[in-house]
Amino acid sequence: MINKIPQAAVPRLSLYYRVLVESRGKDYVSSDELSKLTNFTAAQVRRDLTYFGQFGTPGKGYEVEALKKAILSILGTDKNWDVVLAGVGNLGTALLSYKGFEKQGFKIICAFDNDLRRVGKTLEGIKIQDISELGNTVKERNISIGIVATPGEGAQEVINILIKSGVKAILNFAPIRPQVPPSVGLLNIDLSIELERLAYFLTKSKS
Amino acid sequence: MINKIPQAAVPRLSLYYRVLVESRGKDYVSSDELSKLTNFTAAQVRRDLTYFGQFGTPGKGYEVEALKKAILSILGTDKNWDVVLAGVGNLGTALLSYKGFEKQGFKIICAFDNDLRRVGKTLEGIKIQDISELGNTVKERNISIGIVATPGEGAQEVINILIKSGVKAILNFAPIRPQVPPSVGLLNIDLSIELERLAYFLTKSKS
DNA sequence: AACTGTGAAATTATTCACAGCT
DNA sequence: AGCTGTGAATAATTTCACAGTT
């Protein structure tokens, strides 16, 4: 049932889901409407939705509730996911207090830092633990998603511990490109690089 | 001189630059070495570097300093860029205090919020202004890059003000897909969507 | 009439593999 | 010998355009 979906289509599915939630009240929604709501082309919407089955009714569009359920199941967001956070500086704190995750089924259930001034404090109901306890806790609680919000130094080491303890997918905010085995999913969010992409856009626009 | 570079190559250039900075001391570096340092293939490195000229010396590799300078100039990061921050909640605060930006030539020179408890406070040497002053300040100071770290509600409105005031490139952290004219560069960093990509990876791996 | 699903074309991006320079 | 630069091949992704369904 779950087939070959182009990598590039996955974030679009997330977005379709989001606008479907927002369009509550409607029974059907057309690719054209989804196009307007997401800024993707209608053809792209239709193509994306056929990757995992035929949901549309010609003449009417897509049934909102059925499509929502289908996307959830494809993405795996119909389950709840426990998440571990490594690094509770400014960014880590922001992530801890971000309410958007839980709504999508992601729950940060423990957080670690190596700064003794932070260890032991409780933020958003979570007691920050010493980084030395990271491996054991992750193993015990059988966590498969990790968020790394440490400085670049030490990030690879933290990631090694996460992987050795069973984490299978990592969202990395540290400005490094960590080495991970192919069995582990890795997404890097690299703020400087995003700004440099903007700088390139601005530079290029002027010529 | 500045030619057609595939969009996808731009963030790789940033990364080449970063590893070049880290490999200080060497005069030359080969595509093979850059490949090892970045995890891109050597062929990709060579292809990317030819997009903006011929820098290599067969038999030796690329001259580190010359290549660094060339990448800076391509990306536009040889200049300094003033940046405006809208939204100084947890995430905005984290961005304000992130030291990595300034090193790459990006400087957040003013910050705005609509929460009166925050307005007037000084963070990292920047006095937080009321959101009502956003448009005028951006115009006066002629800022072309904006970072939006507000909640989803209101983000589009803030972005409209930024654009009307002359901002030409936006890094958006709010969980919406803002409408912007084609002349404005927009990059979305959407944390929930990144986590959903990881969930998809995990779900798919199990089948 | 309205809209989907999809072959086929077009575009974009990556990889191969090797001729040619140092 | 070592390494670049690049045509050509391949792969991935998007867009076109329309036959077919409701």
Side-chain angles (χ1 to χ4, degrees):
Chain A
M1 174 199 171
I2 291 164
N3 299 316
K4 192 54 195 327
I5 299 180
Q7 277 314 302
V10 176
R12 288 196 298 266
L13 291 184
S14 292
L15 210 47
Y16 300 144
Y17 182 78
R18 191 182 284 168
V19 303
L20 286 170
V21 169
E22 283 160 12
S23 72
R24 189 170 286 135
K26 307 188 75 162
D27 284 350
Y28 283 84
V29 63
S30 70
S31 59
D32 208 54
E33 293 172 296
L34 285 174
S35 164
K36 293 210 175 71
L37 291 166
T38 58
N39 288 335
F40 306 126
T41 68
Q44 176 125 74
V45 172
R46 291 199 298 278
R47 175 71 76 200
D48 284 344
L49 297 184
T50 58
Y51 286 132
F52 54 97
Q54 307 191 176
F55 283 97
T57 311
K60 303 185 83 175
Y62 300 88
E63 210 191 321
V64 172
E65 284 309 315
L67 187 52
K68 274 167 59 180
K69 237 176 241 153
I71 295 178
L72 280 183
S73 143
I74 289 294
L75 291 176
T77 37
D78 51 349
K79 309 170 196 63
N80 286 310
W81 296 95
D82 289 342
V83 177
V84 51
L85 172 67
V88 196
N90 285 303
L91 178 59
T93 303
L95 296 171
L96 251 188
S97 43
Y98 179 53
K99 300 299 174 219
F101 292 148
E102 215 148 328
K103 221 166 33 183
Q104 316 290 325
F106 299 98
K107 186 167 187 189
I108 297 177
I109 61 167
C110 50
F112 298 82
D113 206 291
N114 67 355
D115 186 331
L116 294 179
R117 284 167 300 182
R118 292 199 270 253
V119 172
K121 287 212 174 123
T122 297
L123 284 176
E124 305 290 326
I126 290 181
K127 190 163 183 185
I128 299 170
Q129 295 174 256
D130 190 88
I131 194 78
S132 63
E133 302 169 30
L134 175 62
N136 280 337
T137 310
V138 167
K139 240 177 275 180
E140 260 166 40
R141 307 190 66 168
N142 196 26
I143 302 173
S144 48
I145 299 181
I147 299 181
V148 176
T150 67
E153 311 83 53
Q156 178 72 60
E157 202 185 334
V158 163
I159 286 172
N160 293 346
I161 295 170
L162 288 174
I163 293 172
K164 205 184 298 180
S165 314
V167 163
K168 288 283 182 297
I170 292 170
L171 188 57
N172 171 48
F173 289 88
I176 61 158
R177 294 291 150 136
Q179 299 284 145
V180 305
S183 61
V184 172
L186 172 68
L187 288 175
N188 294 299
I189 294 186
D190 200 312
L191 301 177
S192 295
I193 286 183
E194 300 304 326
L195 281 177
E196 290 175 15
R197 289 172 66 185
L198 290 178
Y200 172 73
F201 172 86
L202 291 170
T203 304
K204 179 189 51 134
S205 310
K206 283 200 194 107
S207 52
Chain B
M1 173 201 171
I2 292 165
N3 300 316
K4 195 47 198 327
I5 300 180
Q7 279 314 303
V10 176
R12 288 196 298 265
L13 290 184
S14 292
L15 209 47
Y16 300 144
Y17 182 79
R18 191 182 284 167
V19 303
L20 285 170
V21 169
E22 283 160 11
S23 72
R24 187 171 288 133
K26 306 188 75 160
D27 285 350
Y28 284 85
V29 63
S30 68
S31 59
D32 208 53
E33 292 170 297
L34 285 174
S35 164
K36 292 209 176 72
L37 291 166
T38 59
N39 288 333
F40 306 127
T41 67
Q44 176 124 74
V45 172
R46 291 199 298 280
R47 175 70 76 199
D48 284 344
L49 297 184
T50 59
Y51 287 131
F52 56 96
Q54 308 193 173
F55 284 96
T57 311
K60 303 185 84 174
Y62 301 88
E63 210 190 320
V64 172
E65 285 309 317
L67 186 52
K68 273 167 58 179
K69 237 175 243 156
I71 296 178
L72 279 182
S73 143
I74 289 294
L75 292 176
T77 37
D78 51 349
K79 308 169 197 63
N80 286 311
W81 296 95
D82 288 343
V83 177
V84 51
L85 172 67
V88 196
N90 285 302
L91 178 59
T93 304
L95 296 170
L96 252 189
S97 43
Y98 178 54
K99 300 299 177 220
F101 293 148
E102 216 150 327
K103 220 166 37 186
Q104 316 290 325
F106 299 98
K107 187 167 185 188
I108 297 176
I109 62 167
C110 51
F112 298 83
D113 206 292
N114 68 355
D115 186 332
L116 294 178
R117 284 167 300 184
R118 293 199 270 254
V119 171
K121 289 212 175 123
T122 297
L123 283 177
E124 305 289 329
I126 291 182
K127 189 163 183 186
I128 299 170
Q129 296 174 256
D130 189 88
I131 194 79
S132 63
E133 302 168 30
L134 176 62
N136 280 336
T137 310
V138 167
K139 242 178 274 183
E140 259 166 40
R141 306 189 68 167
N142 197 25
I143 302 173
S144 49
I145 298 182
I147 300 181
V148 176
T150 67
E153 310 83 54
Q156 177 71 60
E157 203 185 335
V158 163
I159 286 173
N160 293 346
I161 296 170
L162 290 174
I163 293 173
K164 205 184 298 181
S165 315
V167 162
K168 288 284 182 294
I170 292 170
L171 188 57
N172 171 48
F173 288 89
I176 61 158
R177 294 291 150 136
Q179 299 285 145
V180 305
S183 61
V184 172
L186 172 68
L187 289 176
N188 295 299
I189 295 187
D190 200 312
L191 302 176
S192 294
I193 286 184
E194 300 304 325
L195 281 177
E196 290 176 14
R197 290 172 66 185
L198 290 178
Y200 173 72
F201 172 86
L202 292 169
T203 303
K204 179 190 51 140
S205 309
K206 283 198 193 110
S207 53

